[in-house]
Amino acid sequence: MDIVRTVADLRTRVSAWRGTGETVGLVPTMGGIHEGHLALVRAAGERFDRTVATLFVNPKQFAPGEDFGAYPRDEEGDAGRLDAEGVDLLFVPPESVMYPEAHATRVEVADLGSILEGAFRPDFFTGVATVVAKLLLQVLPDAALFGEKDFQQLRVVQRMVLDLDVPVEIVGVPTVREPDGLAFSSRNLYLSAPEREIAPALFATLSAVAEAVRAGADPEWRERWAESELVSAGFDSVDYVAVRDGATLGRYLGPYAAGQGPGRVLAAARLGKARLIDNVAL
Ligand code: PAF
């Protein structure tokens, strides 16, 4: 696996592959590589001749006081894991390459980017959409792969690509979980041993909500029930539990009924230093 740090070097490698007719899949990451990222790399390897991964802790998607400084940084370890999984090229741009001094453009996905996660982290999706737009235009892959664990991020990126006519397919890959149900996440590293015992309650509770709503329970009542379940299980607080339409992330009008379109139950909850998000299909 080669490592490049400039857009010019990145484009030289990708155009050489393009010249011989090879297809390219992109896996954007902020590092802290875990099984969830490796599933994206495997999915890219199955569909495309070449896999490019990126490693950039994007400052624009962290608000002051969030965990930008604490976010796991281990380029050597991450590169080793990506290499072993078959990544061909790793792009590790310094901040000065991604955001040179006069950089002024922001990509904002209105509405979809301001609900749920966006309501609690107001600049988050603008930071994500801006960096992902840049990465897509820098690499110009056939497709970019994103984990369904960050379900709203996946929808925001899909919306952005449609709205801006970016000629890249956006592929969602199912969440990878530990045997006890906890979704792999770079932020799981923030959990203490007792908190790690509590954390699987998030997936268990969302699964219970999904099952109940599928069976006809009132979504809003179940959202409130899940919030108190999570606090009883040991979470410090719950930002939201939301039963939503899986395409628009809008609320259901009236009770959920099978056939209404693929639904999703999404949540964010705080446990010690970690803010965990997860979601399950209805
Ligand atoms: O999901 C992530 O790790 C990040 O939000 C992404 C997509 C790499 C953009 O920085």
Side-chain angles (χ1 to χ4, degrees), residues 28-30 37 56 58 61 71 124 128 131-132 146 150 153:
T29 85
M30 295 205 299
H37 297 113
F56 178 62
N58 174 30
Q61 66 189 76
Y71 204 83
F124 172 64
V128 169
V131 81
V132 172
F146 294 84
D150 298 290
Q153 168 173 277

PDB file of all heavy atoms in Angstrom, residues 28-30 37 56 58 61 71 124 128 131-132 146 150 153, ligand 1:
ATOM      1  N   PRO A  28     -13.530   6.694   2.912  1.00  0.00           N
ATOM      2  CA  PRO A  28     -13.037   7.818   3.722  1.00  0.00           C
ATOM      3  C   PRO A  28     -13.064   7.454   5.209  1.00  0.00           C
ATOM      4  O   PRO A  28     -14.050   6.877   5.685  1.00  0.00           O
ATOM      5  CB  PRO A  28     -14.047   8.943   3.449  1.00  0.00           C
ATOM      6  CG  PRO A  28     -14.979   8.428   2.392  1.00  0.00           C
ATOM      7  CD  PRO A  28     -14.883   6.939   2.415  1.00  0.00           C
ATOM      8  N   THR A  29     -11.997   7.798   5.939  1.00  0.00           N
ATOM      9  CA  THR A  29     -11.976   7.533   7.385  1.00  0.00           C
ATOM     10  C   THR A  29     -11.290   8.682   8.116  1.00  0.00           C
ATOM     11  O   THR A  29     -10.567   9.468   7.517  1.00  0.00           O
ATOM     12  CB  THR A  29     -11.201   6.235   7.763  1.00  0.00           C
ATOM     13  OG1 THR A  29      -9.806   6.545   7.885  1.00  0.00           O
ATOM     14  CG2 THR A  29     -11.400   5.113   6.770  1.00  0.00           C
ATOM     15  N   MET A  30     -11.531   8.705   9.424  1.00  0.00           N
ATOM     16  CA  MET A  30     -10.764   9.631  10.276  1.00  0.00           C
ATOM     17  C   MET A  30      -9.778   8.825  11.110  1.00  0.00           C
ATOM     18  O   MET A  30      -9.259   9.318  12.120  1.00  0.00           O
ATOM     19  CB  MET A  30     -11.701  10.430  11.187  1.00  0.00           C
ATOM     20  CG  MET A  30     -12.629  11.352  10.410  1.00  0.00           C
ATOM     21  SD  MET A  30     -13.199  12.764  11.372  1.00  0.00           S
ATOM     22  CE  MET A  30     -14.060  11.961  12.703  1.00  0.00           C
ATOM     23  N   HIS A  37     -14.597  -0.233   9.685  1.00  0.00           N
ATOM     24  CA  HIS A  37     -13.862   0.294   8.526  1.00  0.00           C
ATOM     25  C   HIS A  37     -13.397  -0.857   7.636  1.00  0.00           C
ATOM     26  O   HIS A  37     -13.441  -0.753   6.402  1.00  0.00           O
ATOM     27  CB  HIS A  37     -12.615   1.072   8.974  1.00  0.00           C
ATOM     28  CG  HIS A  37     -12.900   2.286   9.799  1.00  0.00           C
ATOM     29  ND1 HIS A  37     -12.545   2.389  11.119  1.00  0.00           N
ATOM     30  CD2 HIS A  37     -13.497   3.454   9.478  1.00  0.00           C
ATOM     31  CE1 HIS A  37     -12.895   3.569  11.582  1.00  0.00           C
ATOM     32  NE2 HIS A  37     -13.492   4.239  10.613  1.00  0.00           N
ATOM     33  N   PHE A  56      -7.993  11.288   7.648  1.00  0.00           N
ATOM     34  CA  PHE A  56      -7.925  12.725   7.945  1.00  0.00           C
ATOM     35  C   PHE A  56      -8.919  13.035   9.056  1.00  0.00           C
ATOM     36  O   PHE A  56     -10.123  12.849   8.878  1.00  0.00           O
ATOM     37  CB  PHE A  56      -8.261  13.544   6.683  1.00  0.00           C
ATOM     38  CG  PHE A  56      -8.254  15.037   6.907  1.00  0.00           C
ATOM     39  CD1 PHE A  56      -7.085  15.692   7.294  1.00  0.00           C
ATOM     40  CD2 PHE A  56      -9.413  15.794   6.745  1.00  0.00           C
ATOM     41  CE1 PHE A  56      -7.071  17.076   7.516  1.00  0.00           C
ATOM     42  CE2 PHE A  56      -9.405  17.172   6.966  1.00  0.00           C
ATOM     43  CZ  PHE A  56      -8.232  17.810   7.344  1.00  0.00           C
ATOM     44  N   ASN A  58     -10.955  15.406  10.513  1.00  0.00           N
ATOM     45  CA  ASN A  58     -11.446  16.650   9.910  1.00  0.00           C
ATOM     46  C   ASN A  58     -11.853  17.665  10.980  1.00  0.00           C
ATOM     47  O   ASN A  58     -12.907  17.525  11.607  1.00  0.00           O
ATOM     48  CB  ASN A  58     -12.657  16.291   9.034  1.00  0.00           C
ATOM     49  CG  ASN A  58     -13.344  17.511   8.469  1.00  0.00           C
ATOM     50  OD1 ASN A  58     -12.698  18.534   8.238  1.00  0.00           O
ATOM     51  ND2 ASN A  58     -14.648  17.401   8.248  1.00  0.00           N
ATOM     52  N   GLN A  61     -15.575  19.184  11.417  1.00  0.00           N
ATOM     53  CA  GLN A  61     -16.776  18.496  11.900  1.00  0.00           C
ATOM     54  C   GLN A  61     -16.795  18.334  13.422  1.00  0.00           C
ATOM     55  O   GLN A  61     -17.594  17.574  13.951  1.00  0.00           O
ATOM     56  CB  GLN A  61     -16.965  17.165  11.177  1.00  0.00           C
ATOM     57  CG  GLN A  61     -15.920  16.101  11.424  1.00  0.00           C
ATOM     58  CD  GLN A  61     -16.096  14.911  10.498  1.00  0.00           C
ATOM     59  OE1 GLN A  61     -15.772  14.952   9.328  1.00  0.00           O
ATOM     60  NE2 GLN A  61     -16.635  13.811  11.028  1.00  0.00           N
ATOM     61  N   TYR A  71      -9.362  12.577  19.744  1.00  0.00           N
ATOM     62  CA  TYR A  71      -9.721  11.552  18.748  1.00  0.00           C
ATOM     63  C   TYR A  71      -8.508  10.663  18.471  1.00  0.00           C
ATOM     64  O   TYR A  71      -7.379  11.167  18.345  1.00  0.00           O
ATOM     65  CB  TYR A  71     -10.193  12.220  17.439  1.00  0.00           C
ATOM     66  CG  TYR A  71     -11.096  11.310  16.645  1.00  0.00           C
ATOM     67  CD1 TYR A  71     -12.450  11.209  16.940  1.00  0.00           C
ATOM     68  CD2 TYR A  71     -10.577  10.499  15.640  1.00  0.00           C
ATOM     69  CE1 TYR A  71     -13.273  10.341  16.243  1.00  0.00           C
ATOM     70  CE2 TYR A  71     -11.396   9.630  14.937  1.00  0.00           C
ATOM     71  CZ  TYR A  71     -12.743   9.570  15.251  1.00  0.00           C
ATOM     72  OH  TYR A  71     -13.553   8.701  14.567  1.00  0.00           O
ATOM     73  N   PHE A 124     -21.825  20.034  12.466  1.00  0.00           N
ATOM     74  CA  PHE A 124     -21.231  18.727  12.161  1.00  0.00           C
ATOM     75  C   PHE A 124     -21.405  18.328  10.693  1.00  0.00           C
ATOM     76  O   PHE A 124     -20.437  18.020   9.995  1.00  0.00           O
ATOM     77  CB  PHE A 124     -21.855  17.673  13.093  1.00  0.00           C
ATOM     78  CG  PHE A 124     -21.468  16.263  12.760  1.00  0.00           C
ATOM     79  CD1 PHE A 124     -20.149  15.853  12.870  1.00  0.00           C
ATOM     80  CD2 PHE A 124     -22.413  15.342  12.340  1.00  0.00           C
ATOM     81  CE1 PHE A 124     -19.774  14.548  12.560  1.00  0.00           C
ATOM     82  CE2 PHE A 124     -22.056  14.041  12.035  1.00  0.00           C
ATOM     83  CZ  PHE A 124     -20.742  13.642  12.144  1.00  0.00           C
ATOM     84  N   VAL A 128     -18.824  17.610   7.631  1.00  0.00           N
ATOM     85  CA  VAL A 128     -18.748  16.313   6.940  1.00  0.00           C
ATOM     86  C   VAL A 128     -18.953  16.509   5.435  1.00  0.00           C
ATOM     87  O   VAL A 128     -18.178  16.010   4.608  1.00  0.00           O
ATOM     88  CB  VAL A 128     -19.805  15.320   7.494  1.00  0.00           C
ATOM     89  CG1 VAL A 128     -19.915  14.089   6.605  1.00  0.00           C
ATOM     90  CG2 VAL A 128     -19.466  14.916   8.924  1.00  0.00           C
ATOM     91  N   VAL A 131     -15.898  18.156   3.736  1.00  0.00           N
ATOM     92  CA  VAL A 131     -14.709  17.315   3.554  1.00  0.00           C
ATOM     93  C   VAL A 131     -14.990  16.169   2.580  1.00  0.00           C
ATOM     94  O   VAL A 131     -14.143  15.814   1.756  1.00  0.00           O
ATOM     95  CB  VAL A 131     -14.154  16.810   4.914  1.00  0.00           C
ATOM     96  CG1 VAL A 131     -14.913  15.611   5.439  1.00  0.00           C
ATOM     97  CG2 VAL A 131     -12.678  16.471   4.787  1.00  0.00           C
ATOM     98  N   VAL A 132     -16.210  15.606   2.648  1.00  0.00           N
ATOM     99  CA  VAL A 132     -16.516  14.489   1.748  1.00  0.00           C
ATOM    100  C   VAL A 132     -16.591  14.986   0.302  1.00  0.00           C
ATOM    101  O   VAL A 132     -16.086  14.333  -0.611  1.00  0.00           O
ATOM    102  CB  VAL A 132     -17.801  13.744   2.175  1.00  0.00           C
ATOM    103  CG1 VAL A 132     -18.215  12.727   1.128  1.00  0.00           C
ATOM    104  CG2 VAL A 132     -17.598  13.047   3.522  1.00  0.00           C
ATOM    105  N   PHE A 146     -19.726   4.052   2.878  1.00  0.00           N
ATOM    106  CA  PHE A 146     -19.934   4.613   4.211  1.00  0.00           C
ATOM    107  C   PHE A 146     -20.687   3.605   5.064  1.00  0.00           C
ATOM    108  O   PHE A 146     -21.584   2.913   4.574  1.00  0.00           O
ATOM    109  CB  PHE A 146     -20.764   5.907   4.126  1.00  0.00           C
ATOM    110  CG  PHE A 146     -20.044   7.023   3.426  1.00  0.00           C
ATOM    111  CD1 PHE A 146     -20.061   7.107   2.043  1.00  0.00           C
ATOM    112  CD2 PHE A 146     -19.337   7.967   4.146  1.00  0.00           C
ATOM    113  CE1 PHE A 146     -19.382   8.131   1.389  1.00  0.00           C
ATOM    114  CE2 PHE A 146     -18.658   8.994   3.502  1.00  0.00           C
ATOM    115  CZ  PHE A 146     -18.676   9.076   2.122  1.00  0.00           C
ATOM    116  N   ASP A 150     -23.368   5.330  10.921  1.00  0.00           N
ATOM    117  CA  ASP A 150     -23.607   6.777  10.834  1.00  0.00           C
ATOM    118  C   ASP A 150     -24.674   6.983   9.764  1.00  0.00           C
ATOM    119  O   ASP A 150     -24.398   7.481   8.673  1.00  0.00           O
ATOM    120  CB  ASP A 150     -22.312   7.491  10.484  1.00  0.00           C
ATOM    121  CG  ASP A 150     -21.259   7.282  11.560  1.00  0.00           C
ATOM    122  OD1 ASP A 150     -21.427   7.826  12.655  1.00  0.00           O
ATOM    123  OD2 ASP A 150     -20.301   6.530  11.315  1.00  0.00           O
ATOM    124  N   GLN A 153     -25.406  10.464   8.424  1.00  0.00           N
ATOM    125  CA  GLN A 153     -24.276  10.904   7.594  1.00  0.00           C
ATOM    126  C   GLN A 153     -24.392  10.313   6.186  1.00  0.00           C
ATOM    127  O   GLN A 153     -24.178  10.995   5.182  1.00  0.00           O
ATOM    128  CB  GLN A 153     -22.959  10.463   8.236  1.00  0.00           C
ATOM    129  CG  GLN A 153     -21.748  10.616   7.342  1.00  0.00           C
ATOM    130  CD  GLN A 153     -20.459  10.331   8.066  1.00  0.00           C
ATOM    131  OE1 GLN A 153     -19.925  11.207   8.750  1.00  0.00           O
ATOM    132  NE2 GLN A 153     -19.929   9.123   7.944  1.00  0.00           N
TER     133      GLN A 153
HETATM  134  O1  PAF B   1     -17.442   8.838   9.326  1.00  0.00           O
HETATM  135  C1  PAF B   1     -16.326   9.400   9.398  1.00  0.00           C
HETATM  136  O2  PAF B   1     -15.329   8.820   9.851  1.00  0.00           O
HETATM  137  C2  PAF B   1     -16.189  10.843   8.932  1.00  0.00           C
HETATM  138  O3  PAF B   1     -17.322  11.576   9.234  1.00  0.00           O
HETATM  139  C3  PAF B   1     -15.825  10.962   7.438  1.00  0.00           C
HETATM  140  C4  PAF B   1     -16.916  10.423   6.558  1.00  0.00           C
HETATM  141  C5  PAF B   1     -14.524  10.221   7.165  1.00  0.00           C
HETATM  142  C6  PAF B   1     -15.621  12.435   7.079  1.00  0.00           C
HETATM  143  O4  PAF B   1     -14.622  13.024   7.846  1.00  0.00           O
END
